[in-house]
Amino acid sequence: MRVAAIQSDIVWEDPEANFARLRPWVAAAAAAGARLVVLPEMFACGFSMATERVREAPDGPSARFLAEQAAQHGLWICGSIPETAAGEARPYNTLVLASPGGQVSHRYRKIHPFSFAGEHEHYGAGDLHVTVDIEGLRCTLFVCYDLRFADEFWARAHDTDAYIVVANWPERRRRHWTTLLQARAIENQAYVVGVNRVGHGSGVDYSGDSRIIDPWGEILAAAAGGETMLLADIKPTNVQDARDKFPVLKDRRR
């Protein structure tokens, strides 16, 4: 499967401007043969704590954008959205996946809100992991700060070919981001697709540093600090091959 990671800047709290920015990138990914397109965390508004302004219903404009792009280009696409279902007091930072049929197929609610930035005061914490079979590739979904919790990745490893991690990870901790992405690939012998934003939002600079990493920890595609698209071909057979040749997972005790 060809995966496209779109490392974009984000116009602060302006979904329509961000949809306009992203449409050409998604079209380019489709033209390049991508079957799965991954957008950054909070791709439509930035990492805003002003939930009274940015929160959306599950059928809101950002989810509709993903569904429309999926249908228009006949591919899978995901990115996170501040979603609030009916009757819920707070939104969740939700990684939404849309299928080629133009339907939202899965939602993963970020399990670890980033308390250092006060996310836990404005967003709820999810409690369910999500692994999706996307055209034969088993993908487990995570959002940003989740990356720091290795045990969550370990527990999913046997059922995962690729971890998808979307982020708004600050430039000042960029080495943490790149190091942890590579570590998660190596220790779980799985692909990691890490997609971060670039630009500036609410006093924070973002350096991008998106990566697609293979089960041996080799970097297949990497980006620096500008808007760009990464492309890489991901094969589930390579995951099994790595685990057969160097069977680390069988020795894990938990």
Side-chain angles (χ1 to χ4, degrees), residues 7 13 27 39 43 54 76 83 87 89 91 117 123-124 136 145 164 192 195 205 208 223 232 237 239-240 250:
Q7 178 174 285
E13 295 181 0
L39 307 180
F43 68 89
V54 301
W76 300 80
E83 282 195 345
Y123 292 85
Y145 191 48
I164 308 300
V192 172
V195 185
D205 292 318
T237 53
V239 175
Q240 192 58 53
K250 74 178 181 63

Side-chain angles (χ1 to χ4, degrees), residues 41-42 80 93-95 108-112 119 141-147 164-168:
E41 178 184 21
M42 298 292 197
S80 93
N93 188 341
T94 306
L95 181 50
Y108 163 71
R109 289 176 163 181
K110 185 179 182 182
I111 288 176
H112 299 282
E119 185 179 12
L141 311 180
F142 285 109
V143 177
C144 202
Y145 191 48
D146 289 332
L147 182 63
I164 308 300
V165 186
V166 303
N168 277 197

Side-chain angles (χ1 to χ4, degrees), residues 83-94:
E83 282 195 345
T84 312
E88 293 178 331
R90 292 189 293 175
Y92 292 82
N93 188 341
T94 306

Side-chain angles (χ1 to χ4, degrees), residues 149-226:
F149 300 91
D151 55 324
E152 308 278 357
F153 288 72
W154 294 355
R156 320 268 87 72
H158 286 287
D159 300 316
T160 300
D161 300 311
Y163 295 104
I164 308 300
V165 186
V166 303
N168 277 197
W169 197 285
E171 181 178 27
R172 59 181 170 267
R173 290 184 293 276
R174 64 187 300 191
R175 295 306 175 202
H176 298 199
W177 164 252
T178 56
T179 301
L180 291 172
L181 288 175
Q182 200 161 11
R184 298 295 164 262
I186 292 169
E187 67 196 4
N188 295 294
Q189 299 180 295
Y191 289 95
V192 172
V193 180
V195 185
N196 191 28
R197 69 161 290 183
V198 295
H200 181 87
S202 191
V204 179
D205 292 318
Y206 299 92
S207 60
D209 299 308
S210 298
R211 298 282 191 273
I212 302 177
I213 305 167
D214 81 1
W216 294 101
E218 298 298 325
I219 297 172
L220 302 179

